[in-house]
Amino acid sequence: MYLRGLLLSLALVSSIGMQNLFVFNNAINQPLKRAWPVTVLVWFVDTALTLAAFFGMGTIISAHELFKLIIMFVGGLLVIWIGFGILRSAASFKLESANTPLPMKKSLVNAWVVTWANPQAIIDTSLMFGALRGTLTDSEVTRHLSPG
C-alpha cells in the first residue's frame, strides 16, 4: 500500500504544472528565506488536496456535474490569470530586481490558488487518489491510518 501511494505521488508531481512553475518562479524571484516558507506551504496545501481527494472529493465532483463545471470554469480562469501574470513578470524581469520581495500574504494566497483553484491539479489528484481509495475497503484504509 505504501509503495503504491508513493509511486502515485511521484507520478503526480513529476510533471511541470502550475504548482511547480509557481514554486520555481517564487524561488527565482525571492530571497531564500522568503522562498522556503512558500515552498513548504505549497507542500502542505498539496498534501491537503491529496488527502481530500483520497477521502472523497472525486466522488463529490463526479456526483455533481454543476459543481464540476464551476470548478473547471473558475479554476480555468484563475490558471489563465496566473499564467498571464507570470508572462507579464517575465517580460518586465530585470536581474537587479530579483531580490524584490513579493509580499508574504500574496505569496501564500497564490500558493493556495495554484493548488485548490487549479482544475488540472484537482482532476488529476481526484482521479489518481480517488481511484486508489476505490480499490481499498474501509478496514484497509483505517488499518493503514492507525498508528502502530
Side-chain angles (χ1 to χ4, degrees):
M1 174 62 188
Y2 174 78
L3 184 59
R4 284 191 333 191
L6 178 65
L7 291 174
L8 279 175
S9 297
L10 289 174
L12 192 62
V13 300
S14 64
S15 64
I16 299 295
M18 283 299 292
Q19 293 165 303
N20 293 355
L21 289 175
F22 173 74
V23 169
F24 294 154
N25 192 36
N26 185 61
I28 289 170
N29 292 313
Q30 300 297 316
L32 186 59
K33 67 180 181 176
R34 292 186 62 92
W36 271 112
V38 174
T39 302
V40 170
L41 179 69
V42 168
W43 181 80
F44 276 113
V45 171
D46 196 43
T47 300
L49 177 64
T50 301
L51 290 172
F54 184 79
F55 288 109
M57 188 171 59
T59 303
I60 294 169
I61 291 172
S62 297
H64 303 285
E65 189 67 28
L66 181 61
F67 186 56
K68 180 169 64 172
L69 290 173
I70 290 169
I71 288 174
M72 292 179 68
F73 180 74
V74 173
L77 289 176
L78 285 169
V79 167
I80 290 169
W81 178 70
I82 291 168
F84 281 128
I86 290 171
L87 290 174
R88 275 194 319 264
S89 69
S92 65
F93 180 75
K94 295 178 186 169
L95 194 55
E96 64 270 8
S97 69
N99 288 329
T100 305
L102 186 66
M104 187 56 81
K105 182 178 179 181
K106 186 173 182 181
S107 293
L108 297 177
V109 168
N110 286 346
W112 183 87
V113 167
V114 298
T115 301
W116 283 91
N118 181 348
Q120 178 187 358
I122 292 171
I123 291 168
D124 290 350
T125 306
S126 296
L127 288 174
M128 292 179 86
F129 285 96
L132 174 64
R133 171 61 177 91
T135 65
L136 303 172
T137 65
D138 289 342
S139 63
E140 287 176 310
V141 172
T142 55
R143 182 179 70 222
H144 290 293
L145 289 176
S146 62

